[in-house]
């Protein structure tokens, strides 16, 4: 019996449904409720590189004014998640924050020194990142979301 492609398997259909439901719950409660985590969660609006479809992805974030910081964690042991590739292909993206705040941001991957500073703060916020880092075969990117119009440091 042929195995369905990962994107059409029952697991991924349920995962996509749960993600949409979580994004709706976050918006409806002004960011106060999430199925995914008790950590601060934002909703990323990205566009599929292949499909061109709009997507919503709830992500744990670190508020590091004026920037927001997210981690490209669980995409598999050997590849980054699809939302990371979609985001990095965009010049700007929209995020919804707790309290009903929307912000347009520019994504960039943190440099090694910046990552060394941010990683412990992210692990403190969500300890599962440290666990995940022990069994993945890839370097987990830390993504800085700068407010649109800001000048960044690499």
């Amino acid at each position: 019996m042929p195995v369905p492609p990962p994107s059409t398997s029952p697991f991924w259909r349920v995962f996509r449904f749960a993600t949409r439901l979580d994004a709706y719950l976050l918006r409806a409660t002004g960011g106060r409720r999430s199925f995914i985590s008790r950590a601060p969660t934002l909703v990323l609006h990205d566009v599929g590189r292949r499909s061109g479809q709009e997507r919503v992805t709830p992500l744990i974030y670190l508020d590091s004014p004026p920037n927001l910081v997210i981690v490209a964690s669980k995409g598999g042991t050997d590849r980054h998640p699809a939302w990371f590739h979609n985001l990095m292909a965009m010049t700007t993206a929209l995020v919804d924050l707790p309290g009903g705040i929307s912000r347009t941001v520019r994504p960039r991957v943190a440099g090694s020194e910046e990552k060394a500073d941010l990683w412990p703060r992210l692990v403190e916020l969500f300890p599962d990142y440290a666990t995940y880092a022990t069994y993945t075969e890839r370097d987990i990117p830390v993504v800085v979301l700068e407010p649109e119009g800001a000048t960044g440091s690499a």
Side-chain angles (χ1 to χ4, degrees):
M1 174 180 237
V3 176
S7 61
T8 61
S9 72
F11 169 80
W12 285 111
R13 282 190 297 242
V14 169
F15 177 79
R16 281 194 302 271
F17 175 77
T19 298
R20 280 190 224 103
L21 187 59
D22 200 47
Y24 172 79
L25 183 62
L26 281 161
R27 275 196 218 107
T29 63
R32 292 183 300 277
R33 296 269 190 267
S34 171
F35 292 124
I36 293 178
S37 171
R38 293 174 194 232
T41 306
L42 61 76
V43 177
L44 169 68
H45 298 267
D46 61 322
V47 177
R49 294 177 331 279
R50 294 184 194 139
S51 69
Q53 292 181 335
E54 275 192 45
R55 300 170 187 258
V56 291
T57 308
L59 298 167
I60 294 167
Y61 76 99
L62 172 66
D63 194 359
S64 186
N67 303 323
L68 305 169
V69 180
I70 56 177
V71 175
S73 60
K74 299 182 180 183
T77 58
D78 62 346
R79 59 186 154 74
H80 301 315
W83 68 259
F84 171 79
H85 294 290
N86 296 341
L87 177 62
M88 298 317 294
M90 300 170 66
T91 54
T92 62
L94 179 67
V95 294
D96 294 333
L97 298 167
I101 300 166
S102 291
R103 187 185 297 176
T104 302
V105 295
R106 288 183 309 118
R108 67 175 172 80
V109 175
S112 56
E113 284 183 30
E114 189 176 26
K115 181 179 177 179
D117 176 52
L118 293 170
W119 184 256
R121 294 171 55 204
L122 288 158
V123 168
E124 183 179 330
L125 180 69
F126 193 66
D128 288 354
Y129 288 150
T131 305
Y132 181 71
T134 63
Y135 66 82
T136 186
E137 299 169 5
R138 63 187 172 83
D139 182 42
I140 301 173
V142 171
V143 180
V144 177
L145 302 174
E146 300 175 326
E148 184 178 37
T151 56
S153 59

